Amino acid sequence: MNRANNTSTFYHSADGLQYNNTDNGTCTVIDFFAITVSFTTIYSVLMIASLVGNSLLIFASLKSKITMNVIIANIAASDLLFSIVHFPREIVVYIKGSTVFLVHGWIGSLLCKICSFLTDTTIAVSTLSLVLITVDRLVAAVFPRMFVRITVKKRRFFILGTWILAMAIHSPYFYTFRLDVRNGETLCISNWEPAFDHESTHIRYYTALLVTVLIVPLVTVCILQNYNLGETEKRQNGAFSFFRGPSTTKEKD
């Protein structure tokens, strides 16, 4: 296939942006209005569902007498904060058709840092809280005597630890995220310069972030869940053998 002879043109029409491939004569029409309405509706529904659902979950978890539900309430709180910070920004982006940051000056710079920081911090809190729930269930099933000594106060301390760790991991956001004017538009971007080389530092940092926030917690959850299932199965088999009593065999004369 000779790519050198391929030519294509873009032009706007009343229906949307048309992509015309002159090699084969095909023409594809992209209706940006329909895309905007679709994504805006989806994000709006997700935001409302998240606000209502997570608020009810927090209320129910805190009212419950099950102590482990405090951790579930923590996940709901992080998801609720994510919805408040992230979804409105995405809705504005699709409505305006641009990632332009609407707030300028030092307030805009502060919002750029805080919104980016909170968005990713809440994700880390959710994954770390999943590890807490898995450990809590493991202790309850395998070490019941230890489980009764884990009070609500201790669980709240562990929950606080997830927020502190998540904030510490994402603390570089307060340096990297900033407002930058490009082609007359104000954007909220991440840039490691001038203190570090942007390209190499960006790759190393987000690789480490992927490992610590996503891969390690999920692998830990899988390992602990499998161990918990194995121990539970052993206990069930032991209890079943106990109730059956000793096996009897008939001796052949």
Side-chain angles (χ1 to χ4, degrees), residues 195-219:
F196 307 94
D197 177 70
H198 175 70
E199 293 296 333
S200 60
T201 308
H202 182 83
I203 293 174
R204 287 197 298 266
Y205 174 73
Y206 280 98
T207 301
L209 206 61
L210 176 66
V211 173
T212 56
V213 172
L214 187 62
I215 296 178
V216 171
L218 293 182
V219 171

Side-chain angles (χ1 to χ4, degrees), residues 117-165:
F117 173 77
L118 289 179
T119 298
D120 288 358
T121 296
T122 53
I123 297 174
V125 169
S126 295
T127 57
L128 294 174
S129 297
L130 289 177
V131 177
L132 285 184
I133 291 177
T134 306
V135 173
D136 200 88
R137 289 177 176 176
L138 177 65
V139 173
V142 182
F143 309 103
R145 293 183 179 179
M146 184 185 299
F147 179 76
V148 297
R149 293 198 295 267
I150 303 178
T151 61
V152 176
K153 185 177 181 180
K154 290 181 179 179
R155 286 184 173 86
R156 289 174 179 171
F157 176 78
F158 294 143
I159 289 172
L160 178 62
T162 62
W163 285 94
I164 293 175
L165 180 58

Side-chain angles (χ1 to χ4, degrees), residues 175-194:
Y175 170 75
T176 60
F177 278 91
R178 63 195 68 171
L179 295 182
D180 189 19
V181 179
R182 296 181 179 180
N183 298 324
E185 296 182 341
T186 303
L187 305 176
C188 177
I189 64 169
S190 175
N191 191 348
W192 288 86
E193 295 178 351

Side-chain angles (χ1 to χ4, degrees), residues 43-65:
Y43 276 111
S44 299
V45 171
L46 287 175
M47 183 178 67
I48 295 173
S50 178
L51 293 176
V52 175
N54 285 305
S55 298
L56 293 176
L57 183 57
I58 292 172
F59 178 78
S61 299
L62 295 179
K63 286 291 184 180
S64 174
K65 295 182 180 180

